[in-house]
Amino acid sequence: MARYERAPTICPAGHRLAPNQVLVGWIPCDCTPGAGGHRTWTCRTCEVTIGSPPHVGPPRPGVRWS
């Protein structure tokens, strides 16, 4: 069965996250069983990073969790 991610369309500052406006990345982590890490989206306008799935445990600086 395929897993699909729902990508954010705007950053917390209100900028549109569209092609050439967002950097998509990955943070390896073992806090969420079965996930192996967190997908990240970084706004190229304001450099705010959004991560999903939410991190469990001590906070990771610089990432807002959806």
Side-chain angles (χ1 to χ4, degrees), residues 15-46:
H15 303 116
R16 194 168 149 239
L17 300 178
N20 299 316
Q21 302 296 319
V22 62
L23 298 174
V24 180
W26 179 257
I27 300 173
C29 184
D30 61 2
C31 78
T32 307
H38 307 278
R39 173 76 58 224
T40 60
W41 297 270
T42 302
C43 176
R44 294 184 71 189
T45 302
C46 67

Side-chain angles (χ1 to χ4, degrees), residues 3 5-6 8 25-26 32 35 37-41 50-55 63-66:
R3 276 184 57 187
E5 295 175 331
R6 180 167 231 120
W26 179 257
T32 307
H38 307 278
R39 173 76 58 224
T40 60
W41 297 270
I50 304 164
S52 180
H55 181 68
V63 179
R64 293 186 187 203
W65 301 100
S66 60

